[in-house]
Amino acid sequence: MTEKRYYKVGGHVVEVELAEPWHFKALSPKEAEVVERLRRGEDVGVIPVPADKLDDLALNKDITGKDSIKGDRYGLDFSQYAPFETDPCEPLMTLRVQYERPEWLVRAEEERTWKEVVRVDEVPPFYEGRVLDGHTIYEFYPAADVSAGIFVMEDDYRTGTYYPREKMGPRVTMFQVNTVLMILYTFATAPLGTLLLHSSMVRLDGKANLFFGVSGTGKSTHSRLWLEHVPGCDLMNDDNPVIRFDGNGTLIGYGSPWSGKTLCYRNVSAPVRALVRLEQAPENRIRPLHALDAYASVVAASSTIRWNRRIMDALVPTVERVAMNVPCFHLGCRPDAEAVKVCKEGIQ
């Protein structure tokens, strides 16, 4: 017995299939009300906030449903995807979640016959990437030597299965499913003029502005300052919006189910006005980025699998197109209102 749902993210359809005992956790009436507003693209008042303040926001509790997840041992909380739900149709990519592992995978685990290609073990959650007979395999560790589960992606890079460990509850499993869906989305959409950009995205006058930079630069802070000081501005996404060229060659920014610590899951889109690389500085100053500088900035901000040559080869033409056709800027800034003024005037 399985359950299926379909989500349209950045114009691409994602199919999710849960095998028993896993199932989609039901929305509470309050969650359903907020999700319907997000589906319509409404601004429900979520603003970029520090992670330690999330519990103070009743709205965020309503969206994530974490208060009601207790007692449902196998219910996975897809409320952040619910605003993007669509009718059943032919998907670009499919993710399955099930316990029963195929014999070849059980044997590979026992005999360690795969080839390890990447390992991240400095800060949890840890993971390892492996390849074996046309499969790309990720194993996730929420703590050292504690495996949460294994994700196996087929060689078409559009289908995959996540196998949770039996002792993992719904919260840990859903955390890894989020990661797996981002990985699958990155692989499947790379050849289609689509990028997940690690950035914060705000909209003004119908145009999207994306702010990115190295971790700790202040992307969320800068977006919050825009919301506080620019009338008519709204937050579209605060961590991983989708950008994609449409049939007319216009770069469109889309909200997504992946928004980091700020739980902004709006089903919205807008043409991109500018991409702005942020850097902390003693004074606020903006300058345009050209050619190689723009390319290097965009490729560094792309949420992608850098060790996979096939994905990087598919990604390069899109990054080049962005760098050559969309205004890109560098903003040296302080975390103050003047930075917003300098940025707004510079990109306009």
Side-chain angles (χ1 to χ4, degrees), residues 239-253:
D239 193 58
N240 268 287
V242 175
I243 56 175
R244 178 190 181 191
F245 284 100
D246 67 9
N248 297 318
T250 300
L251 186 66
I252 306 296

Side-chain angles (χ1 to χ4, degrees), residues 264-281:
C264 180
Y265 310 123
R266 300 177 63 196
N267 189 2
V268 290
S269 63
V272 174
R273 171 184 281 117
L275 305 176
V276 183
R277 190 184 80 202
L278 304 179
E279 184 176 7
Q280 294 179 1

Side-chain angles (χ1 to χ4, degrees), residues 22-233:
W22 296 106
H23 59 270
F24 295 92
K25 187 183 77 67
L27 298 176
S28 70
K30 188 179 289 187
E31 287 172 329
E33 178 185 346
V34 178
V35 162
E36 182 55 35
R37 294 177 61 192
L38 295 170
R39 190 195 312 274
R40 295 195 298 263
E42 293 185 24
D43 183 356
V44 296
V46 173
I47 61 174
V49 292
D52 60 356
K53 298 295 184 182
L54 288 179
D55 287 341
D56 297 335
L57 299 180
L59 176 63
N60 288 332
K61 290 185 179 181
D62 294 340
I63 295 295
T64 62
K66 291 199 176 5
D67 285 354
S68 58
I69 204 169
K70 295 177 181 178
D72 192 349
R73 179 72 176 83
Y74 299 104
L76 295 183
D77 178 13
F78 275 81
S79 55
Q80 69 196 70
Y81 295 84
F84 305 89
E85 190 168 354
T86 189
D87 294 332
C89 57
E90 185 66 27
L92 175 66
M93 66 207 83
T94 299
L95 173 68
R96 303 179 184 91
V97 180
Q98 65 183 56
Y99 270 136
E100 187 175 354
R101 290 171 292 158
E103 183 177 336
W104 70 265
L105 181 58
V106 173
R107 186 167 59 251
E109 287 189 86
E110 293 173 349
E111 300 175 1
R112 314 295 289 184
T113 53
W114 46 51
K115 176 184 177 182
E116 184 179 303
V117 292
V118 65
R119 175 192 291 262
V120 174
D121 57 6
E122 296 175 358
V123 179
F126 312 129
Y127 69 87
E128 294 179 3
R130 308 154 181 159
V131 291
L132 176 65
D133 297 335
H135 299 95
T136 301
I137 303 169
Y138 288 87
E139 186 161 11
F140 301 97
Y141 300 87
D145 301 321
V146 178
S147 173
I150 291 181
F151 171 52
V152 176
M153 183 162 46
E154 305 299 330
D155 59 5
D156 63 359
Y157 290 170
R158 294 190 176 189
T159 56
T161 305
Y162 180 61
Y163 302 95
R165 298 297 183 187
E166 292 192 11
K167 293 184 179 181
M168 293 296 143
R171 191 173 299 182
V172 172
T173 296
M174 190 64 216
F175 181 88
Q176 305 304 343
V177 166
N178 274 324
T179 302
V180 163
L181 279 168
M182 289 183 67
I183 292 172
L184 189 60
Y185 190 92
T186 297
F187 272 86
T189 63
L192 303 176
T194 303
L195 297 175
L196 268 175
L197 201 70
H198 183 43
S199 63
S200 188
M201 181 168 67
V202 299
R203 178 171 53 182
L204 179 66
D205 299 331
K207 298 291 184 67
N209 305 297
L210 291 91
F211 309 120
F212 58 94
V214 298
S215 181
T217 300
K219 298 180 289 293
S220 296
T221 296
H222 191 71
S223 287
R224 187 172 71 251
L225 289 168
W226 272 69
L227 298 177
E228 292 173 353
H229 299 287
V230 181
C233 182

Side-chain angles (χ1 to χ4, degrees), residues 300-321:
S302 300
S303 299
T304 190
I305 312 300
R306 303 184 191 282
W307 55 265
N308 186 287
R309 181 172 180 177
R310 177 174 169 179
I311 295 304
M312 290 304 296
D313 286 348
L315 186 83
V316 165
T318 302
V319 176
E320 289 179 343
R321 192 177 178 189

